[in-house]
Amino acid sequence: MAGKSPLVVVGDALLDRDLSGHADRLAPDAPVPVVADCAERVRPGGAALAAWLAARDGRDVTLITGLDDGPAARELRRLLQPWLELIALPMSGALPEKTRILAQDRPVARLDRGGGRVREATAAARAALAAAPAVLVSDYGRGAADALREELRRRPPVVWDPHPRGGPPTPGTRLVTPARSEARGFAAGLRGDRPATGTPGAPTGEATGPRSDLRTVTEEAAALVRHWRVGAVTVTLGARGALLSYGEHPLLVPATADHHGDACGAGDRFAATAAGLLADGALVGEAVEGAVTAASAFVGAGGAAALAGPSPTSGPSHASGTPHASGPSHGAGASAHPSGTPHPPGPPAPGDDPADVIARVRAAGGTVVAAGGCFDLLHAGHVGLLQAARRIGDCLVVCVNSDASVRRRKGEGRPVNPLADRVRVLRALACVDAVAVFDEDTPERLLAELRPDVWVKGGDYAAAELPEAALLQEWGGQAVLLPYLDGRSSTALMARAAEGAR
């Protein structure tokens, strides 16, 4: 398995079982569906799923988890042992089992049993952690991470996937990956109150309001970074992707596609991918982008329920390796409307006046997104940024520099394309709802007139500056960064064209 760094996973394993059949009638003695002709599928769950997915990616994996000697633990050992090294921690009680009952591939009920908890660490577990090149903590609140907390303080994990019933991540962890509802619950705990809506463990993608949710997530993530003293927090947002915070301006990584499949296990796919990429030397932003892509593909392929169990000799499964929940809508890529509104407004007519577009969207309770730039020679980087920006809300207004503004910024000979052409090309994009022009060097005056809910900029997270962020806070807006497609720029296009003309 050359080329991929080994990974040690510490956490709480579950045995997941799906009973999947069809339902076409209600029971005569109660108004409940009768699920008939059930097929049974058994797979690793919890930390065991995260470890199994990492191993299926072609990585050497060691899983440190609690196991007893009962039938569920024996079945889990059978599933895991061909794929990874297993270090068992002693438990009090039986291994937790989760059984979903599905009709037409939709969950209708869940049965939980087994309340076992890890009693203590072992010498083998401590030795494995001391020698680990990279550690992923997949905490499901059953005691494994707590039993090894002192060792994890000395060897901070690259990723910590937290749980409302578990302890906080250890200081120095590079990346913590709560779901939206979990981040809300953790932040409420810092304030000493209850979450405004939802509870930890509720489906992600819920919103306190389409205009306020992104700002709320940003504030909560920044607060958690500071309180936990970790490198970064990324909050998974279902179909919206994930929001990454180092404590200041956030990077919003959109999902590559909006899938309506089974999201069970998407968070484990996200955490396993992010941990693997960080172990291999990726930057945190790169790891989050890769994890969002993998989680989205995972949901599109059917989620954990669609995983097959070939032996390692048949090679890693690319479907599973393409990025916790053993529950619904935890990871990035799970379906939800981008702004969280149950009945989003229809798309504005292209080429409309920006003020009219904004007024109609706001009247329908939608979210107004704005992005800006010269857009002189439109290229794939521009288009990807604008498409991602549009998915954040319910309309996109592009703020474009006038010819004089471009000339002052870029020098003589620019723009190559005059303002009328640039505006026409932008309006032709399906993701653009309106275009507004500003003549100043910066768009502050125009932003103060439009008052968007979200202002988007593209660029490298570490190097980017958001001078407009303070202005947007005056009306409760939020400035965010979006990943920019590397190697694409108007200047580079012009240089290649000039070289080719010689």
Side-chain angles (χ1 to χ4, degrees):
M1 297 184 184
K4 293 191 175 184
S5 176
L7 184 67
V8 172
V9 179
V10 177
D12 307 295
L14 314 173
L15 182 66
D16 282 356
R17 180 179 286 105
D18 282 352
L19 299 176
S20 183
H22 66 271
D24 51 19
R25 63 188 178 93
L26 296 178
D29 54 341
V32 295
V34 176
V35 183
D37 300 324
C38 287
E40 182 179 42
R41 294 190 298 265
V42 181
R43 64 178 177 273
L49 178 58
W52 192 53
L53 290 170
R56 288 166 64 101
D57 290 342
R59 193 176 300 278
D60 287 324
V61 175
T62 300
L63 172 62
I64 303 174
T65 190
L67 288 174
D68 65 328
D69 294 322
R74 289 196 296 271
E75 176 65 13
L76 184 61
R77 289 176 190 270
R78 183 190 67 80
L79 293 170
L80 293 176
Q81 282 178 336
W83 288 93
L84 50 82
E85 180 183 355
L86 192 57
I87 298 178
L89 302 175
M91 295 186 75
S92 59
L95 180 77
E97 297 179 67
K98 183 190 73 182
T99 300
R100 299 192 307 169
I101 301 174
L102 301 95
Q104 284 83 18
D105 295 322
R106 294 183 177 274
V108 296
R110 190 176 116 177
L111 310 175
D112 290 2
R113 64 178 175 182
R117 290 185 58 85
V118 170
R119 291 201 312 266
E120 59 188 1
T122 63
R126 294 189 182 98
L129 269 182
V135 177
L136 161 63
V137 173
S138 181
D139 188 2
Y140 276 77
R142 302 282 184 166
D146 291 334
L148 289 161
R149 185 162 292 274
E150 286 307 312
E151 287 74 15
L152 292 169
R153 288 184 187 277
R154 292 192 290 269
R155 179 66 180 86
V158 293
V159 171
W160 191 298
D161 199 7
H163 192 281
R165 292 195 298 267
T170 54
T173 297
R174 288 190 68 187
L175 179 65
V176 185
T177 62
R180 173 68 189 99
S181 58
E182 293 169 345
R184 183 187 303 132
F186 294 136
L190 302 185
R191 299 188 299 266
D193 57 14
R194 293 182 179 181
T197 61
T199 56
T204 55
E206 300 170 38
T208 56
R211 298 186 188 182
S212 64
D213 188 52
L214 185 61
R215 185 177 183 185
T216 301
V217 176
T218 298
E219 293 170 348
E220 290 170 351
L224 293 173
V225 169
R226 294 189 292 268
H227 178 75
W228 284 335
R229 292 180 291 155
V230 297
V233 167
T234 186
V235 181
T236 55
L237 301 171
R240 287 179 291 173
L243 182 139
L244 170 63
S245 174
Y246 292 100
E248 294 184 4
H249 306 310
L251 176 71
L252 185 62
V253 181
T256 52
D258 184 2
H259 294 297
H260 296 270
D262 185 357
C264 179
D268 294 304
R269 178 69 274 178
F270 185 97
T273 300
L277 290 171
L278 289 172
D280 293 340
L283 300 175
V284 170
E286 295 170 338
V288 172
E289 288 185 48
V292 167
T293 298
S296 180
F298 180 84
V299 174
L307 291 175
S311 69
T313 56
S314 65
S317 166
H318 296 288
S320 72
T322 351
H324 83 112
S326 291
S329 302
H330 181 105
S335 178
H337 183 262
S339 67
T341 53
H343 301 289
D352 278 356
D353 177 75
D356 292 341
V357 170
I358 290 172
R360 288 201 301 272
V361 169
R362 288 221 167 103
T367 298
V368 176
V369 182
C374 300
F375 302 103
D376 191 4
L377 295 174
L378 201 67
H379 53 73
H382 291 139
V383 174
L385 176 73
L386 295 176
Q387 289 173 331
R390 180 60 176 82
R391 289 196 294 268
I392 295 173
D394 301 292
C395 75
L396 174 63
V397 178
V398 177
C399 303
V400 62
N401 300 70
S402 69
D403 288 346
S405 176
V406 174
R407 194 171 300 113
R408 288 194 300 271
R409 291 189 59 195
K410 304 289 187 179
E412 290 301 323
R414 300 290 297 275
V416 174
N417 291 306
L419 177 64
D421 289 1
R422 290 184 284 132
V423 169
R424 184 174 181 177
V425 171
L426 286 168
R427 282 179 171 165
L429 297 177
C431 57
V432 175
D433 299 298
V435 178
V437 179
F438 62 96
D439 194 48
E440 299 81 7
D441 293 340
T442 59
E444 277 88 347
R445 179 195 58 79
L446 181 57
L447 288 176
E449 291 179 6
L450 301 177
R451 299 170 73 88
D453 301 307
V454 181
W455 170 246
V456 168
K457 293 190 75 172
D460 173 66
Y461 186 96
E465 296 180 359
L466 291 176
E468 304 87 359
L471 175 65
L472 267 81
Q473 290 176 359
E474 293 180 7
W475 58 82
Q478 174 66 53
V480 300
L481 288 161
L482 287 174
Y484 197 73
L485 197 59
D486 289 337
R488 274 75 170 184
S489 75
S490 298
T491 303
L493 281 175
M494 292 176 62
R496 288 200 297 272
E499 182 69 24
R502 291 195 184 106

